[in-house]
Amino acid sequence: MASPTEKENAPKPSNFLRGIVERDLEQGTYRQRHWGGGPGDAAHHRMGEPDPARIRTRFPPEPNGYLHVGHAKSICLNFGLARDYQGICHLRFDDTNPEKEEVEYVESIKDAVRWLGFDWDAHGTSHLYQASDYFDFMYRAAEYLIEAGHAYVDEQTPEEMRVNRGDFSKPGTDSPFRSRSIDENLQRLREMRDGKLEDGKAVLRAKIDMASPNINLRDPTIYRIKHAEHHHTGGKWCIYPMYTFAHPIEDALENITHSICTLEFEDQRPFYDWLLDRLAEGGLINTPQPRQYEFARLNLTYVVTSKRKLKQLVDQGHVTGWDDPRMPTIVGLRRRGYTPESLQLFADRIGVSKADSWIDYSTLEIALRDDLDPKAARAMAVLDPVKMVITNWDEAMGAGHLDPCSAPVHPHAPERGKREFMFGRELWIERTDYEETPPKGFFRLFPGNKVRMKYGHVIECTGATKDASGQVTEVQATLVPDTKSGTPGADAVKVKGNITWVGVADGVKAEVRLYDRLFSVPQPGTGEKDFLDELNPDSLKVVTAYVEPSLGRAKGDEKFQFERHGYFVADRKDHGGGRPVFNRVTGLKDGWAK
Ligand code: ATP
Ligand code: MG
């Protein structure tokens, strides 16, 4: 028992789900449970050891698409609770629907969970499960419900069933098949199972209450006929359980304690409890049984998270694929330069709540910057290059001379060493750093102004050459002697501007992909317009840039802060083999804030 002071000093649970878990642990709700070493029925678990997991949660994706940032929230939540409370989180493929699942997604889902930093192995056991392994038990549970008088085979037409269900203001009407005998029900269910009936000719329904104010309790369908091959069980079954029947059973067989789902399942909770109560009464499942808790799904501004819409973006070529760096899929975020730590930080910060809301995209970007800032090596890059020539270089420094300069890899981590690059007669500078007639408050390059070339010398701008269209083709300057950064007296000449640059002699040419938000409105597809008409036309701009030599040695997936420009990552797919390709992850600050 915790002493009163220990209790007072215990940190407050940071969200309501943690509160529930802590209460269950304190009350020992699940302390007596046993675990049969793998999923199974009551008898199987009874023979096992006391459950080594204090709680069990699960992440149960349907393998019918790539995971997105909303799933990342659910993964961090379920695996995070298990980690923090000495529990175990199962990865369960919810593959009870025979037609929809595709094997290709299974590997991508496993990769995504692992990449986020989680693992389904615990105490030497892999807790990777698939719901279709439970079909035999589910069928047994269906027969049990019939035997106990809790289910019947209904042969009304789908239309009759719909009408007889009633609506919010009208109670339903009992089916004429509702009062069939147990024997007749069993016989009919077996005929369904044995393929004697066509699709849609009959369903198995739970016998609850056709007048319930909760329409989900008006004798919900629990099994339907579907003559379809399943990718694991092949042709073994031609009847398949409904999701609302299958899911509670999956949880129960796996000894799940806290079954966490999104709010749209709230109305299903009474059926979840009803079903598990019945199966517990019959001694079929381990007890105490799992409980369902709901939280609000993540809605993130400027993206869509519906699988159907994401698929449309890919299929119609609005993006280059599921892993396009603009996609909110986990593979897309990863390629964009997001780190697992930044997504975990994001999930922790947004927390969980019971109220639906929209999280601003900038919250995700802030978490990323907070994670990358202390880690990412700094580098200089010129994204819109124009050449600057130092006209007195040969006299001042000697013809052909290159002057070595250096800068810290990270300003707050001197132990990470220095990057080196060459100052010379010709430098690349940003086009926007030069103005012929400077606007008020402009301290960069204009004729007559002195600035420091960062980590290098002070120069004085003398003018520029333009082409016929008025576009600047070259900027000229003169070197101010004895001003090299880090040498005595270098600061004697005071300047207001500090210009980033890359040497023409040692700069590396690179492709830089300037990604921006995929949609130009905060809640795409929620108004009058089709979401595809709300795509941001400027979500990708590809430029040829010059980057400092240290970036020529970057490895795929390595992240950097390009000074002044933001965070960039060497593209995991296209970078390498002498072809540097960098993706903009995010700017240094929120460019979208008003
Ligand atoms: P579908 O459109 O196929 O129903 P889904 O997003 O519900 O897609 P699932 O594979 O069923 O996908 O989801 C797995 C888990 O992820 C579920 O437990 C679900 O609650 C959770 N999840 C899905 N989308 C979100 C979201 N936007 N925010 C939080 N959790 C989510
Ligand atoms: Mg779903």
Side-chain angles (χ1 to χ4, degrees):
M1 276 292 281
S3 71
T5 46
E6 266 173 42
K7 258 188 174 173
E8 275 161 32
N9 293 340
K12 278 221 164 60
S14 52
N15 66 52
F16 78 96
L17 289 171
R18 287 175 178 265
I20 289 165
V21 169
E22 289 177 17
R23 187 205 58 203
D24 280 333
L25 289 175
E26 200 174 286
Q27 297 176 353
T29 314
Y30 294 97
R31 199 178 288 148
Q32 307 297 330
R33 279 177 327 152
H34 283 232
W35 167 249
D41 64 6
H44 165 81
H45 285 304
R46 203 179 306 119
M47 291 183 317
E49 52 171 348
D51 196 334
R54 294 218 296 163
I55 62 167
R56 282 184 193 264
T57 54
R58 85 286 172 270
F59 174 66
E62 237 179 289
N64 64 351
Y66 284 84
L67 300 183
H68 55 63
V69 62
H71 296 112
K73 172 178 174 172
S74 181
I75 292 168
C76 291
L77 179 62
N78 282 295
F79 281 91
L81 284 172
R83 174 196 60 208
D84 295 347
Y85 294 102
Q86 290 131 48
I88 295 175
C89 182
H90 300 183
L91 175 60
R92 178 202 308 149
F93 289 106
D94 213 323
D95 60 352
T96 52
N97 189 346
E99 278 154 343
K100 279 191 356 204
E101 292 84 22
E102 283 183 47
V103 184
E104 76 158 285
Y105 297 120
V106 167
E107 285 309 311
S108 85
I109 291 172
K110 282 158 64 176
D111 282 348
V113 174
R114 273 197 222 105
W115 177 73
L116 277 170
F118 299 107
D119 193 355
W120 48 87
D121 287 342
H123 311 286
T125 310
S126 163
H127 297 277
L128 176 68
Y129 301 116
Q130 58 193 21
S132 55
D133 285 342
Y134 311 142
F135 280 159
D136 286 334
F137 181 91
M138 289 175 191
Y139 181 77
R140 187 177 134 211
E143 287 209 351
Y144 166 76
L145 289 178
I146 289 177
E147 284 159 6
H150 298 310
Y152 62 99
V153 173
D154 195 356
E155 294 175 57
Q156 295 183 98
T157 64
E159 176 58 14
E160 284 166 339
M161 265 186 253
R162 195 186 58 75
V163 171
N164 290 337
R165 192 172 297 126
D167 54 35
F168 285 106
S169 52
K170 199 168 96 234
T173 312
D174 284 1
S175 161
F177 298 93
R178 201 175 197 263
S179 49
R180 283 179 143 168
S181 72
I182 289 173
D183 284 345
E184 195 188 348
N185 273 314
L186 271 181
Q187 191 196 329
R188 258 340 231 170
L189 178 65
R190 288 172 187 168
E191 284 166 7
M192 282 168 66
R193 178 198 61 189
D194 297 339
K196 306 262 164 54
L197 280 81
E198 285 165 40
D199 287 8
K201 288 291 179 216
V203 293
L204 182 68
R205 296 178 75 173
K207 194 192 256 188
I208 309 178
D209 178 7
M210 286 306 289
S212 172
N214 182 341
I215 294 183
N216 296 302
L217 292 181
R218 293 184 188 171
D219 294 7
T221 298
I222 59 183
Y223 257 101
R224 68 209 194 285
I225 303 169
K226 209 167 190 177
H227 290 268
E229 289 270 321
H230 185 281
H231 72 278
H232 275 129
T233 56
K236 179 175 178 193
W237 296 95
C238 62
I239 58 171
Y240 289 95
M242 302 299 284
Y243 178 84
T244 49
F245 175 73
H247 200 84
I249 292 178
E250 295 158 21
D251 287 343
L253 296 180
E254 291 181 19
N255 254 11
I256 299 303
T257 54
H258 302 83
S259 175
I260 298 165
C261 60
T262 43
L263 274 181
E264 64 276 20
F265 294 99
E266 195 168 13
D267 290 346
Q268 293 289 354
R269 182 164 16 99
F271 178 66
Y272 186 104
D273 290 339
W274 179 91
L275 176 63
L276 294 188
D277 283 343
R278 299 293 80 73
L279 299 180
E281 275 165 16
L284 273 77
I285 57 164
N286 200 13
T287 53
Q289 63 219 47
R291 295 277 169 211
Q292 173 182 307
Y293 304 95
E294 308 87 18
F295 71 101
R297 67 169 43 234
L298 169 69
N299 296 307
L300 190 63
T301 59
Y302 297 99
V303 300
V304 294
T305 47
S306 134
K307 276 182 202 156
R308 185 180 55 80
K309 289 181 178 171
L310 292 174
K311 190 164 170 8
Q312 231 176 310
L313 291 172
V314 174
D315 290 346
Q316 298 182 11
H318 300 289
V319 293
T320 55
W322 289 99
D323 66 348
D324 185 296
R326 290 164 294 183
M327 289 284 272
T329 50
I330 295 181
V331 281
L333 291 166
R334 181 177 182 185
R335 193 167 165 204
R336 177 72 171 265
Y338 276 83
T339 56
E341 295 80 9
S342 64
L343 292 172
Q344 288 180 22
L345 188 61
F346 170 71
D348 286 347
R349 285 183 180 168
I350 60 176
V352 288
S353 82
K354 286 285 257 183
D356 265 318
S357 67
W358 285 77
I359 301 292
D360 197 83
Y361 194 78
S362 61
T363 313
L364 182 62
E365 294 178 313
I366 291 167
L368 179 70
R369 288 188 202 107
D370 289 348
D371 180 52
L372 289 186
D373 181 49
K375 296 181 185 167
R378 286 2 185 206
M380 288 203 287
V382 175
L383 303 185
D384 184 9
V386 67
K387 199 179 275 182
M388 182 169 85
V389 176
I390 302 192
T391 51
N392 64 342
W393 183 262
D394 293 358
E395 302 90 87
M397 304 292 288
H401 180 70
L402 291 174
D403 192 30
C405 299
S406 69
V409 170
H410 195 288
H412 307 305
E415 72 281 4
R416 291 175 64 178
K418 293 195 176 290
R419 331 147 0 213
E420 289 179 353
F421 37 83
M422 296 292 185
F423 200 99
R425 182 173 178 271
E426 296 185 328
L427 307 175
W428 296 112
I429 59 165
E430 293 291 345
R431 181 170 294 282
T432 51
D433 279 349
Y434 176 80
E435 290 279 356
E436 192 170 39
T437 356
K440 204 168 170 283
F442 185 86
F443 301 119
R444 288 171 278 161
L445 296 160
F446 55 88
N449 193 39
K450 290 194 182 79
V451 297
R452 173 168 301 282
M453 302 309 284
K454 205 169 182 187
Y455 313 118
H457 300 258
V458 173
I459 54 114
E460 177 173 343
C461 179
T462 53
T465 311
K466 290 190 220 167
D467 65 12
S469 67
Q471 164 107 303
V472 171
T473 52
E474 184 189 287
V475 175
Q476 291 99 24
T478 53
L479 193 76
V480 180
D482 304 324
T483 56
K484 186 176 177 186
S485 283
T487 58
D491 294 331
V493 181
K494 295 285 170 219
V495 294
K496 286 188 174 160
N498 209 358
I499 307 292
T500 51
W501 55 277
V502 169
V504 169
D506 65 352
V508 176
K509 200 176 195 174
E511 176 177 327
V512 176
R513 300 170 177 171
L514 300 171
Y515 290 107
D516 203 340
R517 295 179 185 187
L518 188 52
F519 290 92
S520 47
V521 300
Q523 301 180 5
T526 57
E528 308 271 275
K529 278 195 180 169
D530 186 83
F531 79 108
L532 293 174
D533 295 330
E534 298 177 319
L535 281 163
N536 176 7
D538 301 317
S539 62
L540 172 59
K541 208 175 122 198
V542 181
V543 299
T544 301
Y546 287 96
V547 299
E548 66 169 66
S550 68
L551 289 175
R553 298 184 290 272
K555 289 190 278 296
D557 214 27
E558 202 176 341
K559 284 111 189 149
F560 298 90
Q561 186 191 101
F562 288 4
E563 300 190 26
R564 286 173 72 188
H565 291 297
Y567 294 96
F568 290 75
V569 61
D571 189 77
R572 349 181 340 99
K573 253 190 179 165
D574 300 337
H575 173 92
R579 180 181 169 223
V581 180
F582 294 93
N583 301 331
R584 176 164 67 197
V585 193
T586 180
L588 287 177
K589 49 184 197 288
D590 185 6
W592 288 62
K594 300 273 149 43

